[in-house]
Amino acid sequence: KARNAAVIVNMHDNVTELTDPEQPDEEPRKFAFDFSYWSHDSFEEQSDGYLAPTDPHYADQTDRNECNNGVVPLFCNEMFKGIDEKKENGEQIEFEVSFSMLEIYNEQVRDLLNSKTKSKKGLRVRQHPKKGFYVESLLTVPVNSYNDIENRMEEGTRNRTVAATLMNATSSRAHTIVGVTFNQKGKNAAGQETTKSAVINLVDLAGSERAESTGATGDRLKEGAAINQSLSSLGNVIAALADKAGGKNVRVPYRDSVLTKLLKNALGGNSKTIMIAAISPADINYDETLSTLRYADRAKQIKTSAVVNEDPTEKLIRELQEENAKLKAALERGEIPNDDDDEDDKPSTEGISEEELAKMKQQMEEEVRARMEDNDRKLEEMNKTWQEKLLHAQQLYEEANKAAISVKEAAKTSPHFWNLNVDPQLSAMIIHTIKEGENIVGNGVDDSSPDIELKGLSVLSQHAIVTNKDGNITLRVCNNAKVLLNGETVTSEVALHHCDRLMFGSNHLYAFHHPVELEAANANNIKFPEVTYETAQEEIAAVAGFDMDTSEKSREQLLLREELIEILPMVEEANAISQELDRKVDFEILLLSAEARGLSKGRAETFIKMTNLETKLDWLWSRNQFINRKYLMQEMYQNYVEGEDWNLPDERDPFTESPLTEVTIGTAMIDMREHLTITDFKGTEMGKLRVELIPCSEDGKEFDIDDDAFVDSPSELLGKKMNFFIAINHALGLPTKYHETWCEFHFYMDATPTVTAVMPNTRNPEYNFKNLFSFPAVTKELLHYLNDSCLYVLVKGRYKEPQKLQHRAAALKTKDMVMSKVLTRGKSVKAMQPHDSDSRMQNFARMAKMTFEHNTMQKKLQRLENKMDLLKKFTSMASDMDLDTVMLSQLKSLLEATNPSAVAANLQVEVPPKKNRKSQSAASEESKQGGGETATLHSDVISPSPTASPPPLIDPQTSQIIAEASAESDLASKDQPSDLDAKQTAAQTPAESNLVSKDQPPPQPPSPATADVENLPPARVHQSSCCIVM
């Protein structure tokens, strides 16, 4: 709604319909599923957070779920309800439920229940020949109630939040798998102890992962980021399984990603699989919605076969022991057992070298040892009673979460900070209480023991001091550390109040909670505004100079606002990493209009400018390209923190850009035959460009003054042939830092740009480019483009190879260089207004368009003046021939002439036939009756018609421009008349002397001999500057 989007989704029973916003009249696409639930609107939120339906169309949460919880809590709660019912019914079965929680981020597995895991590469994924893929050393804890599961989920979410803060990873980029193992132990009909087992995987897939959103096509760093690998692999697996269900013999690529390995059994094995797809009903998300519906439609075609997993307990123990003995004997003989009969997963050895085979053998040996360790662990667990397992798990939980539990209790009555995260599920998961007295905030390195420990970018060992004195909370920064309070930089001691927002360093965003102030506000019915990650980032962006106001904003402006909120913390993080690693680069946000990007229309877009602080060269990155680079920057920083080798070669370093990368020097807008100004994205002049846009014949010959090829109005071109050429001759005064330059532009519906030759090593390149454009018939679309659009020429280039500094280590640090850059500009980073460059570029576009319109008006004025000269010459010639009547058809042809100068060169007055020469009274009578083919010229007086005003040939705005231009011309000619005016004055005839312009004195009253002229009928032939009375 905030984006003014239209609803394109509709649901009828189990059918979901999707309408293409580009073709709203066509039949909508229909997708049939088991259930389709409408939850977009038709509800109202109650005080307890429950969304009550206002229309039966809404999928009420109470009707569908009997509560207001999510899928995982619902499932787990129902499972324990069933267990309790069976126990109450006296069934002699022992129920065992185990819980695990992991996250897949950037193809790495993290155990969310084990915060002590420090492996940078994450946990290993192994394969069992019968049970399939599993995660090595994944902590699986026994639980005895839904409350236990809820506590474990909270623990996992808290660990996930800490990891996300340290690595700046968000849940939207990570997949979460909650694993529940359910065992039922009892005796069968034969009296044997048997075990029924089931594994439930509840998977929350990452969102917003489409390729267009996460990476620019062809970016050299896209594959290294591995953002889309898991989802694209899952799509390939689902497609292959759907084909297989249809009878095709295809290989299912489970091994292509960690996610598909772990979901192998759920998708194609002994399982039942349910997919829940959440879609957006907005037209602006049409592509994503269609992709999701297709994804789910393919998934429902997969066929699975679920059977009961029931084995005698003694058999399970015996099989584990036999398997271990078999594996141990194989290792002693130097053999690798190959007991995996699944052809879908069996890696091919065709074309593999001896070195690769040896490496594969080593990996398989590791797999075997891991299987043996896993079997030993399972045997040990099977020899314990269920109560022993529960007691041990509870002891470990209390020990690991002792501090968190005490902090949670203390936060109910004490002032504290709580974290804000882009994922609402991760907000308020980290709490830091503020005890009485001074509380030091720091990173905990160098053997320091801060009261509030924050690890991450730009956090110092002693970052700030928060003081609690009798309930009054104040904060002061230490060592010029970075702290933002409600978006403003903290430079002196400040008081903190309930709901204040604080940023420590580059990525620790917190809200302040003061229970005493909250209680006082509630007593006075004062409500505090809701604090979210988005509102806090909006506040920071607003202080930085961005317009965050949402009132009276278009859809494009609202989209741009969302992009800014998303990209601003990323740029802050990239700058912090650059300074920490001393990479000598600086990043800043730019908002580029369509004109600055060489487009005639389109919305402003977010770009990131990377500046090399040593060479002073800069590059513009698209938002997607920057996001890809940022993930590799994070990886470099993580290696740096862990003491590993973090330096990368230039071709893989996300902080470097090759000089061969093309850059846009500036843009120029084509008028006609001009030296155009080349401006960069800030509106700064970068040089001049000689460009010509000239009408011509089909063979490219330029029209001259004698060619009758000009029109007064563009509408006259409709349906006619049109030919013209665009010539880019040369550029002047380009900066010297470019090794080579060229120009390119898109005309009309060109899919690919038209490009000139590349000119090396010169500030004044001679492009000598000429391209002919021919159109057999001008269409309305082309005419609209020519009337309302501008043609932009992009001047592009590549930098020269920068000279390497001899003593890099002795140079200024990145942080000092950034500060020097800020001081040189004379303003702080937060005061930078990216809108300024966009505004300057738009002003330049408007000025260029006004210049073009002014030049067009001048040309039209010149043609009107030429017609006046033609009429003067015509009347003069008629007077010399002693004619008082001329042919009306000839007079019309003169007024409609498209090239008056060419007509004037061969002008001859046609003498009307004698039989048509009539007396003045007869001509007047005939004129009243609307007939006649001649016009009578009266040399006595030519004045405006008293009964009719001349119809305008052009619009009022054009008339005003012409009038102003004529006034300026007359003022200039009063002191120094032109040669042409002098000649015309010398050769003026009596008839010509009566052609009175609006700037000349009015004529004297007529003499009695000419008084009867006032009674003449109105004229039927008019011209915009004068009127010929007949």
Side-chain angles (χ1 to χ4, degrees):
K1 292 182 179 180
R3 297 182 181 180
N4 301 320
V7 176
I8 57 172
V9 173
N10 194 18
M11 292 181 177
H12 299 286
D13 297 326
N14 63 338
V15 176
T16 298
E17 297 180 351
L18 180 66
T19 302
D20 187 348
E22 298 294 331
Q23 299 171 328
D25 297 330
E26 287 195 359
E27 183 75 13
R29 298 172 185 263
K30 296 181 180 180
F31 299 87
F33 300 104
D34 294 317
F35 301 97
S36 290
Y37 294 134
W38 180 263
S39 59
H40 169 59
D41 53 17
S42 304
F43 65 87
E44 59 181 8
E45 185 174 357
Q46 297 182 350
S47 58
D48 60 353
Y50 170 65
L51 305 180
T54 58
D55 188 284
H57 188 52
Y58 177 69
D60 180 32
Q61 292 167 297
T62 300
D63 292 342
R64 301 294 187 266
N65 304 328
E66 297 183 357
C67 72
N68 202 21
N69 290 325
V71 174
V72 176
L74 279 173
F75 170 81
C76 296
N77 194 32
E78 287 296 319
M79 180 177 61
F80 280 105
K81 279 184 180 179
I83 292 174
D84 292 340
E85 288 177 1
K86 287 183 178 293
K87 288 181 177 179
E88 290 175 359
N89 294 334
E91 294 191 23
Q92 299 299 315
I93 299 176
E94 184 178 4
F95 299 96
E96 298 180 356
V97 181
S98 301
F99 181 86
S100 66
M101 190 173 180
L102 63 86
E103 180 181 61
I104 303 173
Y105 174 73
N106 205 18
E107 286 300 285
Q108 296 177 5
V109 179
R110 296 205 293 261
D111 188 348
L112 296 179
L113 297 183
N114 187 1
S115 59
K116 297 180 181 179
T117 303
K118 299 295 183 182
S119 175
K120 173 185 175 295
K121 295 182 179 179
L123 302 180
R124 296 288 300 271
V125 176
R126 305 290 188 182
Q127 185 177 19
H128 191 278
K130 295 182 179 178
K131 298 179 181 179
F133 292 99
Y134 66 96
V135 179
E136 182 183 10
S137 302
L138 178 67
L139 184 61
T140 303
V141 296
V143 290
N144 199 34
S145 65
Y146 170 67
N147 188 55
D148 286 350
I149 287 184
E150 198 171 33
N151 290 335
R152 291 295 185 175
M153 288 184 64
E154 184 177 341
E155 178 189 5
T157 305
R158 185 167 53 250
N159 292 334
R160 176 187 184 185
T161 306
V162 174
T165 304
L166 293 177
M167 298 184 65
N168 292 278
T170 63
S171 64
S172 63
R173 296 281 180 177
H175 313 290
T176 305
I177 300 179
V178 171
V180 178
T181 304
F182 182 35
N183 293 327
Q184 302 177 67
K185 293 184 176 181
K187 292 184 179 181
N188 59 12
Q192 292 179 310
E193 288 283 344
T194 61
T195 301
K196 290 182 181 179
S197 61
V199 178
I200 303 100
N201 288 319
L202 302 167
V203 186
D204 182 11
L205 294 177
S208 303
E209 292 274 1
R210 74 185 193 278
E212 182 186 350
S213 296
T214 58
T217 304
D219 184 54
R220 62 188 174 92
L221 299 171
K222 178 181 177 182
E223 293 181 358
I227 299 301
N228 290 328
Q229 180 177 347
S230 56
L231 276 186
S232 60
S233 297
L234 181 59
N236 293 337
V237 167
I238 289 175
L241 288 171
D243 291 340
K244 204 167 187 178
K248 294 183 180 179
N249 184 19
V250 295
R251 177 182 175 273
V252 184
Y254 291 112
R255 292 180 177 272
D256 287 357
S257 75
V258 171
L259 178 66
T260 51
K261 287 179 181 178
L262 296 179
L263 295 184
K264 177 191 172 187
N265 288 340
L267 292 172
N270 173 20
S271 66
K272 283 187 176 181
T273 302
I274 299 172
M275 174 180 282
I276 300 176
I279 59 175
S280 167
D283 57 352
I284 55 177
N285 295 322
Y286 170 75
D287 291 334
E288 294 92 324
T289 299
L290 178 60
S291 175
T292 303
L293 289 173
R294 284 174 171 169
Y295 207 93
D297 192 56
R298 296 299 297 269
K300 75 176 185 181
Q301 300 175 32
I302 300 173
K303 295 179 180 179
T304 57
S305 177
V307 297
V308 177
N309 298 319
E310 183 176 11
D311 287 301
T313 306
E314 293 181 358
K315 179 184 176 184
L316 293 175
I317 296 174
R318 184 175 66 252
E319 286 180 348
L320 288 174
Q321 292 172 338
E322 291 175 354
E323 182 182 7
N324 264 10
K326 178 181 176 182
L327 293 174
K328 185 177 180 180
L331 283 177
E332 290 174 352
R333 294 193 302 269
E335 299 175 356
I336 303 298
N338 186 11
D339 47 9
D340 185 4
D341 56 357
D342 191 343
E343 293 298 326
D344 284 332
D345 289 323
K346 194 173 294 183
S348 174
T349 59
E350 185 178 350
I352 297 179
S353 63
E354 292 293 331
E355 182 180 351
E356 291 173 325
L357 282 173
K359 187 176 180 180
M360 185 181 296
K361 182 178 179 181
Q362 181 182 356
Q363 291 176 348
M364 295 180 72
E365 287 179 355
E366 292 177 2
E367 293 276 354
V368 170
R369 290 191 175 90
R371 279 168 55 184
M372 293 175 63
E373 292 176 3
D374 187 59
N375 289 341
D376 288 338
R377 182 179 59 80
K378 289 180 179 178
L379 285 169
E380 183 180 353
E381 289 294 316
M382 294 181 74
N383 290 326
K384 291 182 181 179
T385 66
W386 180 242
Q387 293 302 322
E388 289 175 341
K389 295 177 186 177
L390 285 174
L391 181 62
H392 180 64
Q394 186 63 26
Q395 290 174 346
L396 292 177
Y397 172 77
E398 291 178 355
E399 180 182 344
N401 295 275
K402 184 177 181 180
I405 294 172
S406 62
V407 167
K408 190 174 181 180
E409 290 298 320
K412 295 178 181 178
T413 57
S414 302
H416 62 270
F417 298 121
W418 55 276
N419 75 300
L420 293 170
N421 194 282
V422 64
D423 181 2
Q425 293 180 356
L426 304 187
S427 291
M429 296 306 300
I430 301 176
I431 296 175
H432 296 290
T433 56
I434 303 171
K435 68 180 189 301
E436 188 73 22
E438 290 189 345
N439 299 261
I440 298 176
V441 180
N443 58 19
V445 300
D446 301 330
D447 297 327
S448 60
S449 300
D451 301 283
I452 299 176
E453 183 175 325
L454 304 176
K455 293 185 178 295
L457 287 166
S458 304
V459 179
L460 308 181
S461 57
Q462 189 168 356
H463 198 87
I465 297 177
V466 181
T467 304
N468 182 354
K469 187 176 182 180
D470 300 328
N472 296 317
I473 315 298
T474 59
L475 177 144
R476 69 178 187 272
V477 297
C478 305
N479 306 313
N480 294 320
K482 178 182 177 182
V483 179
L484 301 181
L485 174 62
N486 301 331
E488 299 278 358
T489 301
V490 177
T491 56
S492 59
E493 188 170 7
V494 293
L496 301 183
H497 300 284
H498 184 70
C499 280
D500 278 346
R501 287 74 59 201
L502 295 104
M503 171 78 82
F504 297 98
S506 296
N507 59 333
H508 288 279
L509 189 57
Y510 285 87
F512 176 62
H513 178 90
H514 200 310
V516 176
E517 292 185 357
L518 177 61
E519 185 178 352
N522 291 336
N524 295 305
N525 292 323
I526 298 174
K527 290 188 177 181
F528 288 96
E530 183 184 7
V531 179
T532 64
Y533 177 87
E534 287 74 19
T535 57
Q537 289 295 350
E538 286 175 18
E539 189 173 52
I540 295 172
V543 174
F546 295 96
D547 182 12
M548 290 291 110
D549 185 16
T550 59
S551 59
E552 298 182 358
K553 290 290 191 296
S554 65
R555 178 189 300 181
E556 290 74 16
Q557 290 171 321
L558 292 173
L559 287 172
L560 183 63
R561 174 179 170 275
E562 290 184 11
E563 287 182 4
L564 285 172
I565 294 174
E566 177 191 18
I567 207 72
L568 185 61
M570 294 184 184
V571 173
E572 284 288 327
E573 178 192 354
N575 278 325
I577 295 176
S578 173
Q579 293 179 20
E580 193 82 15
L581 302 182
D582 195 23
R583 301 309 296 160
K584 302 292 193 299
V585 297
D586 182 51
F587 301 93
E588 56 185 301
I589 299 174
L590 297 177
L591 304 181
L592 296 189
S593 62
E595 293 85 358
R597 306 194 309 273
L599 304 174
S600 59
K601 59 181 179 179
R603 73 176 182 93
E605 291 186 2
T606 307
F607 282 77
I608 309 301
K609 185 177 80 166
M610 185 193 79
T611 302
N612 187 306
L613 299 173
E614 291 180 329
T615 63
K616 310 302 182 186
L617 303 181
D618 52 60
W619 291 265
L620 286 185
W621 289 348
S622 68
R623 169 179 166 273
N624 295 329
Q625 187 180 7
F626 168 74
I627 291 174
N628 272 344
R629 297 278 186 124
K630 186 195 70 100
Y631 283 102
L632 289 186
M633 295 175 196
Q634 290 174 333
E635 187 175 345
M636 286 183 70
Y637 178 72
Q638 198 66 25
N639 291 336
Y640 166 78
V641 170
E642 295 176 0
E644 299 184 14
D645 184 18
W646 57 272
N647 270 309
L648 294 173
D650 285 348
E651 63 271 13
R652 294 178 53 213
D653 192 335
F655 292 98
T656 63
E657 192 67 85
S658 169
L660 298 179
T661 302
E662 67 177 48
V663 295
T664 300
I665 301 172
T667 58
M669 283 180 288
I670 289 183
D671 182 1
M672 286 295 283
R673 216 186 276 251
E674 299 286 347
H675 268 102
L676 305 176
T677 300
I678 305 169
T679 58
D680 66 2
F681 56 86
K682 295 182 291 187
T684 305
E685 182 174 332
M686 304 297 289
K688 298 288 186 180
L689 186 68
R690 175 66 178 183
V691 182
E692 297 179 353
L693 193 155
I694 306 297
C696 63
S697 61
E698 293 184 9
D699 57 3
K701 180 183 177 182
E702 180 180 347
F703 290 135
D704 56 29
I705 196 67
D706 295 328
D707 292 308
D708 190 13
F710 296 91
V711 296
D712 286 320
S713 172
S715 60
E716 297 178 35
L717 294 172
L718 193 61
K720 296 181 180 179
K721 290 183 179 180
M722 185 178 69
N723 306 284
F724 63 89
F725 63 81
I726 296 176
I728 303 178
N729 300 326
H730 57 259
L732 300 174
L734 297 181
T736 58
K737 59 185 175 182
Y738 298 102
H739 165 62
E740 56 188 16
T741 63
W742 67 93
C743 300
E744 60 182 54
F745 61 88
H746 286 84
F747 181 79
Y748 191 34
M749 300 178 69
D750 288 347
T752 56
T754 303
V755 185
T756 69
V758 177
M759 303 305 296
N761 300 318
T762 176
R763 292 190 61 195
N764 307 307
E766 295 283 345
Y767 299 117
N768 295 323
F769 169 85
K770 187 175 181 180
N771 194 34
L772 177 65
F773 293 86
S774 297
F775 296 91
V778 176
T779 62
K780 289 182 179 180
E781 292 78 11
L782 177 59
L783 195 62
H784 176 73
Y785 172 80
L786 296 173
N787 268 328
D788 300 333
S789 301
C790 292
L791 182 60
Y792 292 88
V793 178
L794 290 176
V795 183
K796 293 197 169 186
R798 294 185 178 90
Y799 289 124
K800 295 178 180 177
E801 186 74 36
Q803 295 182 352
K804 297 288 185 181
L805 294 182
Q806 298 298 321
H807 304 287
R808 177 166 181 165
L812 287 173
K813 295 291 185 182
T814 302
K815 189 173 183 178
D816 299 327
M817 297 175 79
V818 171
M819 184 58 65
S820 175
K821 176 183 175 183
V822 171
L823 293 175
T824 301
R825 278 196 303 230
K827 57 182 179 179
S828 66
V829 174
K830 74 171 187 178
M832 289 177 58
Q833 303 244 358
H835 299 293
D836 291 347
S837 61
D838 183 53
S839 177
R840 284 195 294 268
M841 194 63 207
Q842 290 179 342
N843 287 338
F844 170 75
R846 284 193 289 267
M847 289 173 61
K849 191 170 184 179
M850 289 172 62
T851 301
F852 176 78
E853 292 175 350
H854 174 68
N855 292 342
T856 302
M857 291 300 102
Q858 282 187 324
K859 291 178 174 65
K860 288 185 175 181
L861 179 60
Q862 181 62 48
R863 294 190 63 193
L864 291 174
E865 290 175 348
N866 290 342
K867 288 188 178 182
M868 282 296 301
D869 293 339
L870 182 61
L871 289 172
K872 288 179 181 179
K873 183 175 181 179
F874 179 77
T875 56
S876 175
M877 293 174 66
S879 297
D880 291 344
M881 297 171 64
D882 197 21
L883 294 176
D884 60 355
T885 303
V886 294
M887 294 292 295
L888 185 60
S889 58
Q890 186 177 13
L891 195 59
K892 286 183 177 180
S893 67
L894 296 180
L895 290 174
E896 296 172 357
T898 57
N899 193 348
S901 299
V903 175
N906 302 305
L907 180 62
Q908 291 183 353
V909 179
E910 298 180 15
V911 179
K914 289 184 178 181
K915 64 180 181 179
N916 289 333
R917 299 188 66 171
K918 302 174 182 173
S919 65
Q920 180 174 312
S921 59
S924 299
E925 183 64 27
E926 188 176 272
S927 178
K928 290 179 181 179
Q929 297 173 359
E933 298 177 350
T934 62
T936 304
L937 296 178
H938 289 272
S939 60
D940 302 290
V941 62
I942 299 178
S943 62
S945 170
T947 57
S949 60
L953 297 182
I954 51 179
D955 59 90
Q957 183 181 3
T958 306
S959 299
Q960 183 180 356
I961 294 174
I962 294 172
E964 292 173 356
S966 299
E968 292 176 2
S969 176
D970 291 339
L971 288 173
S973 63
K974 282 183 179 180
D975 297 329
Q976 187 176 355
S978 64
D979 294 340
L980 178 61
D981 291 337
K983 292 178 182 179
Q984 290 175 344
T985 303
Q988 203 172 41
T989 64
E992 289 175 299
S993 66
N994 290 310
L995 291 171
V996 183
S997 73
K998 64 177 181 179
D999 295 322
Q1000 291 177 329
Q1004 297 297 322
S1007 63
T1010 58
D1012 61 328
V1013 177
E1014 296 177 0
N1015 298 319
L1016 290 177
R1020 290 187 289 116
V1021 180
H1022 300 286
Q1023 211 272 347
S1024 60
S1025 294
C1026 69
C1027 177
I1028 302 177
V1029 180
M1030 295 171 284

